Amino acid sequence: MAAPLGAGGWGEAAVEHFQRGGRLAHRDGAGVRWWHAANSRLRARQAASSEAHMIEADVLLRGGKGDPIMAHPPETDSDITLQEWLDVIVNTDKGIKLDFKSLDAVQPSLELLERVKPQLRRPVWLNADILPGPNGSSSTVDAKGFLDTVTSVFPDVTLSLGWTTGWHPDQQNKGYDWTMVKEMAHICSTLSQPVTFPVRAALVRQSMSELCWLIQQSDRYSLTIWTGKEDVYSVEDLLYIRKNFDKSRVYYDILEPQNSEFKKAIGIEC
């Protein structure tokens, strides 16, 4: 039997890739396991030998102008470069998500990815926060610059396009509003590759109408639920999300203890 269209390509849906490879029982994004912030030699090695399907890491330029390294602001240095990180991960069966904090890091990183593309026959996601979102204070990555740079080199890669956000324990936190999702839909309307929208778990329940509308705009769209370390949200919030979206189109890159509690509640082994 012929392999499905896009099989092994960077734009193949993660649920389809890992189900086809026998690592996922069902087309269910909740079954995809994540390793978050693999931004050091130790964490990259741990991620490589873990049971994770997808490894997430952050890319910036050393000191703001050097080689691409694996680090999350406010850090400006790391014990592992992107080149070294790829050398570790390319010998695994893991998909990757690279989160760019600045436009300057994108082009030199794509050049490094180009060298290993023949060996990376699995999902590759490139992420940037391109729009201001709920309570967001961080600076965005220029949307046109990011998309033009990425799509000119890798027209088949999966794009992960988000909003800058914040969450405050002592106030009512607003969710993603219609202006935010419609601006994102407008930006994505001319794209041809898959897009996943990373959305903050603690802000999703108050944004259901807006986010349901957004992913209904194309069958190429999905959501990736993520969380900040201090965010307060419940397993019930996650179950509510799961009830209201197609299970094959929502991924959950969340922290403990909610991750294990959520998986237990829906009958998926961690």
Side-chain angles (χ1 to χ4, degrees), residues 97-115:
K97 175 182 176 181
L98 297 178
D99 187 356
F100 292 95
K101 302 303 184 186
S102 74
L103 186 58
D104 292 343
V106 177
Q107 183 65 45
S109 298
L110 299 187
E111 292 169 9
L112 295 174
L113 274 169
E114 182 82 76
R115 297 179 197 170

Side-chain angles (χ1 to χ4, degrees), residues 228-261:
K229 288 181 181 176
E230 309 302 324
D231 293 8
V232 176
Y233 64 100
S234 67
V235 171
E236 286 69 29
D237 291 334
L238 300 174
L239 294 173
Y240 186 76
I241 294 167
R242 183 170 173 81
K243 179 182 173 184
N244 283 278
F245 290 98
D246 179 339
K247 294 177 179 59
S248 70
R249 295 173 69 184
V250 185
Y251 300 92
Y252 298 84
D253 177 12
I254 54 178
L255 304 175
E256 298 296 350
Q258 288 93 339
N259 181 55
S260 295
E261 293 169 356

Side-chain angles (χ1 to χ4, degrees), residues 129-245:
D129 291 339
I130 61 170
L131 290 176
N135 316 303
S137 57
S138 303
S139 57
T140 59
V141 174
D142 179 69
K144 187 176 189 306
F146 180 74
L147 293 172
D148 287 353
T149 303
V150 171
T151 58
S152 66
V153 181
F154 298 130
D156 57 341
V157 76
T158 296
L159 295 164
S160 176
L161 304 176
W163 299 260
T164 59
T165 60
W167 187 86
H168 307 289
D170 53 353
Q171 69 180 55
Q172 187 83 15
N173 289 274
K174 292 182 178 178
Y176 300 88
D177 64 30
W178 284 108
T179 300
M180 295 169 190
V181 298
K182 289 192 171 181
E183 187 172 4
M184 185 66 84
H186 176 70
I187 289 171
C188 296
S189 63
T190 59
L191 300 172
S192 59
Q193 57 269 83
V195 181
T196 190
F197 303 108
V199 288
R200 196 166 185 153
L203 303 175
V204 173
R205 192 158 183 167
Q206 56 269 54
S207 318
M208 292 301 295
S209 298
E210 292 87 346
L211 294 174
C212 282
W213 175 86
L214 179 60
I215 72 164
Q216 285 168 1
Q217 301 311 300
S218 173
D219 59 9
R220 294 178 291 104
Y221 295 170
S222 64
L223 298 179
T224 303
I225 311 299
W226 66 276
T227 183
K229 288 181 181 176
E230 309 302 324
D231 293 8
V232 176
Y233 64 100
S234 67
V235 171
E236 286 69 29
D237 291 334
L238 300 174
L239 294 173
Y240 186 76
I241 294 167
R242 183 170 173 81
K243 179 182 173 184
N244 283 278
F245 290 98

